[in-house]
Structures are given as C-alpha cells and as structure tokens.
Amino acid sequence: MTAFSRKAAAGAPVTPPDHSDPLAALGQLPGVGAAVDSVRKAVDRVYGHRVMRRRSTEVTGEAALRAARGSAALSGADWALEEVRRRTDFGGDPEALTVGAALRLSAEAGQLLSIWRQSPLRVLARLHLVAAADSGDAVGRPRLAGEQADEPLIELPLPGADEVSARLEGLSRLVIAGSAAPALVTAAVVHGELLALRPFTSYNGLVARAAERVVLINSGLDPKSICPAEVGHAELGRAAYVAALDGYASGTPEGMAAWIVHCGRAVELGVRESTAVCEALQRGAA
C-alpha cells in the first residue's frame, strides 16, 4: 500500500482513486500532467539527437557512469566524476564501498528488465544482493523484526518488518497488474515507496534509485537508458530530495504531486546531462 492509498484509507481528503488502477489517479493531480509532458518532450529531443543514430551505446555507458556517481553522492559519497571513472578499487572505506555499490547497480539494472513485470520483488532482492555484496550485511532479503536500516539521509519513521512485508507485496501487485499511469508516475511511486520503507538493512537509497531507473527503461520511456534521473536528483540536492520525499510520505495530493514533479525534474536534468554528452561526442571531445 502506497502512501497515497494509506491516506485515502484513513479518510483524508484525496482525489477518489480508480480502484482498478490506483496509480492512474496520481497522474491527474495538479502539476503532474505538465511534468509528464515536459519529461516526454525532453526525452524525445535527446533520442532525436543525431549522435544517437550511430553512437547510442557510448551515450548509454556514459549515462550509467554518471547515474552511479549521482546516486552515490546522495548516499554520502560525493566523488568527482573523473575519480569514479578512474578508480578500480572500491573496497575499504564506506564512501568507496558506496560508489562501488552504485556502479554495480547501474550496470545491473538493464539486465533485470524481463523479470521486473513478473516478479518485482525478485528484482529488488537481486539489486540489494548486488549492492551489498562487499558489505557483509544481510543481503537479498527484507529486514527482519528488530533489524535496522542504515540510511542516514532519510529520517522518516522506520516501518516495522510486518509493515514492510505488506507494503512490498502491495507494490509488487501494482507493478504486476500494470497501469495506464505515465511511466514517470509509476517510477516515482516505486522510488518513493522504497525510500519510505527502507526494506533492507543497507543501501536502500541506491536500490530505490536503481528501481526507478528499471521502471523508466522497462516502460519504454527511456529504453536505451540514457536519461539518468540519479544525476538530476543529485543536482537538485539532498535537502530538496528529502523535502520532496516527505511530501510523498505524507500521502496528501499536494505532497504526492510535489514528489512526482520532483522526480520529473530529475529526469529532465538527466536528459540535459546526456544531451551534453551527445554534443561532446559530436565535437569529438569525448
């Protein structure tokens, strides 16, 4: 059950949802439609760049690297792009472990597309397994009763294990059922729900942002994975990210809309980053 549906169940004043497609109602919230249209236009422009006809694989690879750098920055490892590109050893200190985990997730996300719509929980377990492989944490499973989540950026109350299990199952059902909601809406809900739940003992932010990427790719909005929302989330800043997530967790129409719009802006900034990469490739500078 998402924050939006929890609020509705509590009797708060929200737009009546379509119970056959609860995500679709979110697409009707004020400001969301404009955000969806703006994202689609931005994505179409970068996909229409002449460099994409011949060198899309290079753009995809660069987007993956920059996505990893942005996601790691939000999790407290704010390294320069060239340092991320140069390093080969990601063991030892916590920042290096975080960057290494982000790089592995960025590479893994595109390998899980065929599984996502059939078994999103398997994908989430795999993402955490990949992220936490070098950490020694309990990997590939949700938190058990009494276990904590190491995600210092997010200060929302931490749901207990039973609530995590129930809400993950609800999220899984939404994904498997499919929705007429725009890809941006679904991606934002998946991202927001995972951050609010922090279902794993570690690397929840990295996993949530990787899952957002999986949705954007799998939906067909960004099939070549060249629009790294992680870059935009990092550029918008940790304070704005946390404030927008608080809106999601509130479950109010205004808060949900603000979170979706924030995620849309992050995608657009990711598009801007990849457009710059295309321009550099065209000039022979990268």
Side-chain angles (χ1 to χ4, degrees):
M1 182 180 288
T2 66
F4 180 82
S5 57
R6 290 198 315 279
K7 198 76 174 183
V14 296
T15 304
D18 175 359
H19 293 291
S20 64
D21 189 359
L23 293 179
L26 299 178
Q28 306 303 314
L29 293 175
V32 171
V36 168
D37 289 344
S38 184
V39 165
R40 168 52 70 187
K41 290 175 182 176
V43 172
D44 286 348
R45 283 195 298 272
V46 72
Y47 269 85
H49 197 287
R50 62 185 301 177
V51 165
M52 289 296 296
R53 299 173 196 164
R54 295 172 289 108
R55 304 181 71 179
S56 64
T57 301
E58 293 172 73
V59 181
T60 296
E62 192 64 23
L65 182 71
R66 295 174 187 229
R69 195 218 72 83
S71 193
L74 282 172
S75 287
D78 192 0
W79 288 16
L81 179 64
E82 291 311 312
E83 177 68 6
V84 177
R85 194 191 304 278
R86 179 188 67 81
R87 283 282 287 267
T88 56
D89 176 14
F90 296 99
D93 66 274
E95 285 196 8
L97 288 171
T98 297
V99 174
L103 285 166
R104 291 192 298 274
L105 284 176
S106 197
E108 185 76 7
Q111 309 304 312
L112 301 171
L113 304 179
S114 63
I115 306 172
W116 175 253
R117 284 294 298 273
Q118 285 74 43
S119 185
L121 297 185
R122 280 181 57 199
V123 170
L124 295 176
R126 174 63 184 172
L127 289 174
H128 187 252
L129 180 65
V130 168
D134 294 339
S135 69
D137 296 328
V139 298
R141 62 159 176 80
R143 291 183 285 111
L144 302 178
E147 290 183 330
Q148 296 299 304
D150 181 15
E151 193 65 39
L153 177 62
I154 308 303
E155 296 182 353
L156 294 169
L158 186 66
D162 289 345
E163 182 178 352
V164 167
S165 178
R167 287 170 60 179
L168 283 177
E169 286 292 340
L171 184 65
S172 176
R173 287 194 296 271
L174 285 177
V175 171
I176 292 170
S179 174
L184 173 63
V185 172
T186 303
V189 168
V190 168
H191 183 172
E193 191 72 354
L194 291 174
L195 272 183
L197 289 177
R198 285 145 291 160
F200 303 107
T201 57
S202 60
Y203 295 124
N204 288 286
L206 296 183
V207 169
R209 291 183 287 274
E212 179 184 49
R213 170 177 279 241
V214 168
V215 175
L216 293 173
I217 300 169
N218 203 43
S219 67
L221 177 66
D222 181 23
K224 294 183 182 295
S225 190
I226 62 167
C227 306
E230 300 95 327
V231 169
H233 286 302
E235 186 171 336
L236 290 167
R238 300 177 87 190
Y241 187 65
V242 170
L245 179 64
D246 286 346
Y248 174 85
S250 76
T252 64
E254 296 80 8
M256 293 293 290
W259 170 249
I260 296 167
V261 169
H262 181 89
C263 290
R265 181 59 181 148
V267 174
E268 289 189 66
L269 290 170
V271 168
R272 187 179 71 179
E273 188 86 354
S274 286
T275 300
V277 170
C278 288
E279 294 294 332
L281 289 170
Q282 184 168 285
R283 295 192 305 269

